[in-house]
Amino acid sequence: LAKTTQPISMDSYEGQEVNITCSHNNIATNDYITWYQQFPSQGPRFIIQGYKTKVTNEVASLFIPADRKSSTLSLPRVSLSDTAVYYCLVGDGRGAGTYKYIFGTGTRLKVLA
Amino acid sequence: DVKVTQSSRYLVKRTGEKVFLECVQDMDHENMFWYRQDPGLGLRLIYFSYDVKMKEKGDIPEGYSVSREKKERFSLILESASTNQTSMYLCASSLRQGAYEQYFGPGTRLTVT
């Protein structure tokens, strides 16, 4: 079964680039990797998804190496409002039985002024 | 914009009561999910559904059941609530199966006394 590992917490200053890595072995070979942001007392919010190499949207970039054993969420020039918990989501569709959805343990990002 | 709504933000129930948590999405998504989120344990999948009247067990289905009679509505049922089911419950929907982008509701904080 696939497992995920994320750093528990990170601190950064406003204006810096932040990179959060999720390590995930044995994930489904033909599935996306997605990332979410969660503020206190709210549901997670989708940020970005990718399958391989690099994906960029208006808020973040996602880097996925060829072996797909990790993914790195990159937040350019963070602001105080980016203080949140960030989760990766991967899947494991291998083997018998139903598909498995596996959320990362979450990384608490604190942005300092 | 995808909208996922949950019937209550806060709910207090007594041990042994039958509890219904309702979730509605307005984007015609095939897939719907119920998670619970607890401090230190992250997001854990209870059940998911990929079609009307279809359901699949997630990682922690014990003590819960679900119902999906209409495409837009997915209900989580606690047959006999217990104190260890005190948690934040999050509903999500997705256009595709797999670790594809999921859209979450605001959550229901359930307290069982």
Side-chain angles (χ1 to χ4, degrees):
Chain A
L1 186 64
K3 290 187 177 180
T4 59
T5 303
Q6 294 182 237
I8 293 173
S9 63
M10 299 178 72
D11 288 348
S12 180
Y13 288 96
E14 281 191 292
Q16 288 188 331
E17 178 185 73
V18 171
N19 296 307
I20 304 172
T21 296
C22 176
S23 298
H24 33 72
N25 59 344
N26 298 324
I27 64 171
T29 56
N30 58 349
D31 200 2
Y32 284 92
I33 298 163
T34 50
W35 281 80
Y36 298 82
Q37 175 191 56
Q38 188 177 28
F39 298 112
S41 300
Q42 294 185 23
R45 182 178 72 98
F46 169 78
I47 302 174
I48 195 168
Q49 69 183 5
Y51 176 67
K52 58 182 178 181
T53 63
K54 178 183 175 182
V55 177
T56 298
N57 63 19
E58 63 276 9
V59 297
S61 293
L62 181 60
F63 300 90
I64 302 170
D67 65 7
R68 286 171 45 91
K69 291 187 176 182
S70 66
S71 57
T72 298
L73 173 72
S74 181
L75 304 171
R77 300 178 298 282
V78 293
S79 64
L80 296 176
S81 63
D82 292 318
T83 293
V85 181
Y86 294 83
Y87 294 93
C88 62
L89 171 65
V90 299
D92 186 353
R94 302 167 301 116
T98 191
Y99 186 91
K100 296 290 186 185
Y101 294 86
I102 302 156
F103 265 94
T105 49
T107 298
R108 188 173 300 275
L109 173 65
K110 185 174 182 180
V111 180
L112 307 169
Chain B
D1 245 13
V2 178
K3 194 166 184 183
V4 179
T5 57
Q6 295 184 227
S7 49
S8 306
R9 288 301 307 271
Y10 301 94
L11 208 54
V12 180
K13 295 292 181 180
R14 294 192 179 276
T15 301
E17 278 193 84
K18 190 169 186 176
V19 181
F20 292 87
L21 302 182
E22 303 284 338
C23 175
V24 178
Q25 51 96 2
D26 66 357
M27 283 302 292
D28 203 35
H29 283 174
E30 301 285 344
N31 304 278
M32 297 187 74
F33 308 82
W34 274 107
Y35 295 89
R36 65 177 282 178
Q37 186 172 32
D38 301 286
L41 296 176
L43 286 132
R44 293 181 292 167
L45 182 62
I46 304 171
Y47 270 97
F48 66 99
S49 168
Y50 53 88
D51 202 352
V52 174
K53 296 192 185 295
M54 304 301 290
K55 61 184 179 184
E56 292 284 352
K57 292 180 180 180
D59 300 318
I60 51 165
E62 297 79 18
Y64 304 94
S65 62
V66 291
S67 172
R68 190 153 181 218
E69 297 296 320
K70 293 185 178 181
K71 191 175 187 180
E72 67 271 18
R73 189 179 298 269
F74 192 34
S75 302
L76 179 70
I77 303 155
L78 287 66
E79 294 290 341
S80 177
S82 64
T83 54
N84 62 13
Q85 292 179 309
T86 291
S87 185
M88 170 69 88
Y89 289 88
L90 292 157
C91 174
S93 74
S94 177
L95 183 63
R96 288 174 47 176
Q97 288 192 48
Y100 198 72
E101 56 185 285
Q102 295 186 14
Y103 292 88
F104 283 81
T108 296
R109 187 165 295 282
L110 172 67
T111 301
V112 182
T113 61

